[in-house]
Amino acid sequence: MDSITLVIKAISENISLSRTLVAAYAARCNPSFEIINDVKTAVSEAVTNAVIHAYNGDFDKEVSINAHIIDNILSVSVTDCGVGIADVEKATQGFYTTRQDDECVGLGFTIMKTFMDTLEVKSTLGTGVSVIMTKRLSNGKCEE
Amino acid sequence: MKYEMTGSSLLVHLSGDLDHQTSASLRTTIDKLLSLGGYSEVVFDLSNVTFIDSSGIGLILGRYKLLKSLNKTMNIKSPTPSVDKMLTVSGIYTIIRKI
Ligand SMILES: Nc1ncnc2c1ncn2[C@@H]1O[C@H](COP(=O)(O)OP(=O)(O)O)[C@@H](O)[C@H]1O
Ligand SMILES: [Mg+2]
């Protein structure tokens, strides 16, 4: 089965690279511009979370992004090995944030949920976070 | 970032991607401009913003709160369809007017 994997250091410069790569990969199924942008935004949220929250600013740690397409459905996973989330249900609620700076409004998971068809967040404290999201790219047949 | 003053209205043109990487330095630049005063209303022109995620939403929301504390009005102008979707989903338009 075809898939792509990107491993990045947890620095903010790699966020746009990650979302652009997944969007370019999804483009092979000729999705609408809106769908491409939804994917781009959701990936940006997941990778940003790994960069900001997982490693307490340790730039040398890694985040891995994996994507594959089966029957026109894109599946993306974003995985870090950082501090993890104690209460996933609470963390994924709208406006919940553990950071008080301007850029954390607590909407990351809400955006992922809204812009993708499915969202699964796997985590326990101390073992990192894995975010798995899927989205149907188009209704026609995908030329793979 | 470019800006122009028309009467007492300050028009700020944002461009490119508004994400975690770009928002921090942009915030410093914008806040420096806003601290100069001389305006009663600020309009953010988003026509050249190519991408926005929740970090960019945080940037906009933060400037709104700052301006509100200074008793100034803030409006948003000309977002592209994808930026407009993000602003809608995150509820920005319930507090900031699109003109
Ligand atoms: N990869 C991660 N590692 C550790 N904690 C995370 C991770 N992703 C999200 N979180 C936690 O979940 C909360 C909510 O995330 P999110 O909805 O994206 O809002 P925000 O990033 O603005 O805080 C974060 O504040 C953080 O506490
Ligand atoms: Mg987030």
Side-chain angles (χ1 to χ4, degrees):
Chain A
M1 183 192 73
D2 178 53
S3 70
I4 59 162
T5 301
L6 173 71
V7 179
I8 57 164
K9 293 287 180 185
I11 58 170
S12 59
E13 285 82 348
N14 288 327
I15 298 170
S16 83
L17 173 78
S18 307
R19 65 172 179 258
T20 308
L21 178 84
V22 177
Y25 180 65
R28 68 173 58 176
C29 287
N30 290 316
S32 65
F33 183 76
E34 183 175 8
I35 289 178
I36 282 279
N37 206 74
D38 290 353
V39 167
K40 217 188 237 183
T41 311
V43 171
S44 195
E45 295 298 345
V47 176
T48 301
N49 276 354
V51 167
I52 297 181
H53 303 296
Y55 299 121
N56 295 310
D58 185 345
F59 303 140
D60 210 38
K61 294 293 194 334
E62 288 173 344
V63 182
S64 124
I65 298 115
N66 180 274
H68 63 257
I69 301 169
I70 299 173
D71 294 336
N72 258 332
I73 295 172
L74 171 77
S75 172
V76 188
S77 66
V78 177
T79 305
D80 65 68
C81 302
V83 296
I85 300 174
D87 187 340
V88 170
E89 204 185 318
K90 194 171 167 192
T92 51
Q93 277 165 14
F95 301 107
Y96 176 85
T97 180
T98 49
R99 292 267 294 238
Q100 296 315 314
D101 35 285
D102 260 4
E103 282 140 50
C104 289
V105 283
L107 283 175
F109 283 121
T110 305
I111 299 300
M112 289 182 243
K113 258 185 256 178
T114 311
F115 283 33
M116 300 296 275
D117 296 338
T118 67
L119 169 72
E120 191 189 345
V121 184
K122 291 187 202 163
S123 184
T124 45
L125 212 55
T127 58
V129 175
S130 194
V131 172
I132 302 148
M133 308 178 275
T134 68
K135 189 163 180 88
R136 171 168 288 281
L137 295 174
S138 58
N139 289 315
K141 194 164 165 18
C142 175
E143 310 284 336
E144 277 177 70
Chain B
M1 186 199 76
K2 286 185 194 145
Y3 64 92
E4 58 202 274
M5 194 81 155
T6 314
S8 64
S9 176
L10 174 64
L11 179 62
V12 182
H13 301 273
L14 301 180
S15 60
D17 290 0
L18 301 188
D19 67 0
H20 174 61
Q21 191 203 342
T22 55
S23 288
S25 66
L26 203 51
R27 174 178 14 125
T28 314
T29 316
I30 295 172
D31 286 0
K32 209 174 278 172
L33 174 66
L34 297 182
S35 72
L36 298 175
Y39 55 85
S40 62
E41 172 205 53
V42 179
V43 178
F44 284 98
D45 177 356
L46 304 183
S47 56
N48 289 314
V49 172
T50 44
F51 174 85
I52 186 167
D53 63 16
S54 73
S55 302
I57 294 295
L59 175 77
I60 290 176
L61 213 52
R63 289 336 95 212
Y64 168 77
K65 286 180 189 158
L66 174 71
L67 287 165
K68 196 172 178 223
S69 74
L70 299 169
N71 252 320
K72 317 267 190 193
T73 317
M74 173 176 157
N75 295 310
I76 285 172
K77 197 182 157 210
S78 313
T80 63
S82 57
V83 172
D84 194 51
K85 180 175 181 178
M86 186 68 186
L87 294 169
T88 305
V89 168
S90 46
I92 285 284
Y93 292 139
T94 60
I95 51 169
I96 305 171
R97 206 156 59 99
K98 178 166 63 170
I99 57 167

